[in-house]
Amino acid sequence: MGTSSSQEAALIEKENAERDEQDKIKANFNKARRIKERQMKNLLKNRQAIVNPYSGLTNEMANLGVANKAAEFQAEQSDIALANTLDAMRASGAGAGGATALAQAALQSKKGIAASLQQQEASNQKAAAQGAQDLAKTKAEGEQQRFAAQEARDNSDISRASNQLDALDRQFESSMDAFTNAEVVST
C-alpha cells in the first residue's frame, strides 16, 4: 500500500509539473501576443496621414482681368484722331454735316471698344467656368486617390495583423502539441 501511495504522489507531482509547464508556455505566448498587439497598435497609430494632393488648388482662371489699358489707349487715339479731323474740317470750312458724320464715327469707335471689352469679359468668364470645372474634377480625382490609398493601407494592415496573430496561435498550438507528445512518449 505504501508503494501505491508513493506512486500516486509521484504521478500527482508529475501532473502538477506538467500543468506548471503548460501554464508557463501559455504565459509566454500570451506575453508575446500582447507585445505583438502593442507593436501593431503603435505602428498604426503613428502612421503618416494620407492626404488629397489636390485639395489646396484654387481656380487661377477666376480672377482674369480685362485689358482696360489697351481699351483706354485705343479710345484716346480715336478721340485724338477725331479731334484732328474736326480741326481740319473747321480749317477747310466744312459744314455741320461733316461734324455730324464725325460724331457718328466717334460713336462707332467707342462701340467697337466696348464690344472688345465685352468680348474679353465673356472669354474670361468662360475660362473661369472651365477652370472651376477642371479644378473640381482634379480635386475629386485626388480624393478618389486618397480613398484608394487609405483603403489599400487599411486592408494591408488588417491582413498583416491577422496573419501575425494566426502565426502566433499556430506556434502556441504547435508548442502544446509538442508538449503533449513529449508527455505521451515519456509515459
Side-chain angles (χ1 to χ4, degrees):
M1 212 157 128
T3 310
S4 169
S5 172
S6 71
Q7 285 179 342
E8 280 182 40
L11 188 58
I12 290 173
E13 189 177 315
K14 183 179 178 185
E15 286 175 357
N16 287 340
E18 289 171 357
R19 196 173 308 116
D20 289 345
E21 185 65 27
Q22 283 180 342
D23 289 344
K24 187 176 175 182
I25 291 171
K26 287 178 187 178
N28 286 339
F29 276 101
N30 285 335
K31 182 178 177 182
R33 186 178 184 90
R34 283 191 306 273
I35 290 170
K36 184 55 68 180
E37 286 173 347
R38 267 187 265 134
Q39 287 173 340
M40 284 299 296
K41 285 179 184 177
N42 192 37
L43 286 171
L44 292 173
K45 184 175 84 173
N46 293 315
R47 290 187 317 173
Q48 177 177 315
I50 295 177
V51 296
N52 178 347
Y54 306 118
S55 65
L57 291 180
T58 58
N59 184 0
E60 298 299 324
M61 299 298 198
N63 297 321
L64 291 177
V66 177
N68 288 332
K69 291 291 182 191
E72 288 172 12
F73 179 73
Q74 186 179 359
E76 286 176 16
Q77 292 298 320
S78 177
D79 289 345
I80 291 170
L82 291 171
N84 289 341
T85 304
L86 185 58
D87 286 344
M89 287 174 62
R90 279 191 206 145
S92 67
T100 302
L102 190 58
Q104 288 294 327
L107 179 62
Q108 289 304 320
S109 173
K110 301 288 181 178
K111 281 184 182 178
I113 293 169
S116 172
L117 289 175
Q118 187 176 18
Q119 187 177 25
Q120 285 182 43
E121 287 175 353
S123 175
N124 288 351
Q125 288 174 352
K126 183 178 178 182
Q130 183 64 47
Q133 183 179 10
D134 293 346
L135 179 63
K137 181 179 177 185
T138 301
K139 283 184 176 182
E141 288 171 357
E143 193 60 28
Q144 190 174 25
Q145 289 173 5
R146 187 201 64 76
F147 177 81
Q150 184 67 50
E151 186 71 12
R153 178 187 277 180
D154 290 347
N155 287 338
S156 175
D157 290 342
I158 290 167
S159 178
R160 182 175 57 245
S162 176
N163 289 339
Q164 288 177 337
L165 292 174
D166 287 347
L168 208 57
D169 289 341
R170 284 192 300 276
Q171 281 180 330
F172 176 73
E173 289 172 14
S174 181
S175 294
M176 293 306 288
D177 287 346
F179 183 77
T180 303
N181 287 341
E183 199 175 285
V184 169
V185 170
S186 68
T187 53

